[in-house]
Amino acid sequence: MIPYRKHVLICTNRRDPDNPKGSCANSGSEAICEAFKKELHARGLKGQMRANSSGCLDQCAHGPTVVVYPDAVWYQVKSPAEVKEIVEQHLIGDQPVERLRLK
């Protein structure tokens, strides 16, 4: 049995600011991770869905990177403001947010 209907992984990998690959943490992913956790909790979805930080998802050039499983939908999330849209449209409504998808 899968314990969660949806599992959101948010890259919070941190590299030296001078690293040419960049890093999601240096682009604000820690705040994005917290926004996902707060939004899921506020909507009473704790236990049904989970959001947590992850190590490098190897999409550094696109960061901050978020992936939703079991759907295997990858997002480029630039700010915590975009989190609510992903939660409403994708996690609850089962429709990925096309404008934020990595392709």
Side-chain angles (χ1 to χ4, degrees), residues 33-68:
C33 185
E34 286 305 309
F36 268 108
K37 289 179 181 185
K38 287 179 182 177
E39 191 68 25
L40 292 177
H41 181 74
R43 292 172 176 269
L45 297 170
K46 189 174 180 181
Q48 298 174 49
M49 299 183 189
R50 179 173 171 87
N52 62 279
S53 63
S54 77
C56 184
L57 295 172
D58 202 27
Q59 296 297 314
C60 310
H62 303 291
T65 304
V66 172
V67 62
V68 177

Side-chain angles (χ1 to χ4, degrees), residues 12-99:
T12 56
N13 188 53
R14 183 176 300 281
R15 287 191 183 91
D16 187 278
D18 296 330
N19 189 306
K21 280 185 95 171
S23 73
C24 290
N26 292 341
S27 297
S29 66
E30 291 164 336
I32 290 165
C33 185
E34 286 305 309
F36 268 108
K37 289 179 181 185
K38 287 179 182 177
E39 191 68 25
L40 292 177
H41 181 74
R43 292 172 176 269
L45 297 170
K46 189 174 180 181
Q48 298 174 49
M49 299 183 189
R50 179 173 171 87
N52 62 279
S53 63
S54 77
C56 184
L57 295 172
D58 202 27
Q59 296 297 314
C60 310
H62 303 291
T65 304
V66 172
V67 62
V68 177
Y69 285 108
D71 306 339
V73 172
W74 292 68
Y75 290 110
Q76 177 183 37
V77 181
K78 292 292 190 181
S79 74
E82 294 173 331
V83 168
K84 185 175 181 178
E85 184 178 3
I86 293 170
V87 170
E88 286 178 3
Q89 187 173 319
H90 185 171
L91 302 184
I92 296 171
D94 285 322
Q95 295 297 316
V97 181
E98 293 300 324
R99 70 180 189 81

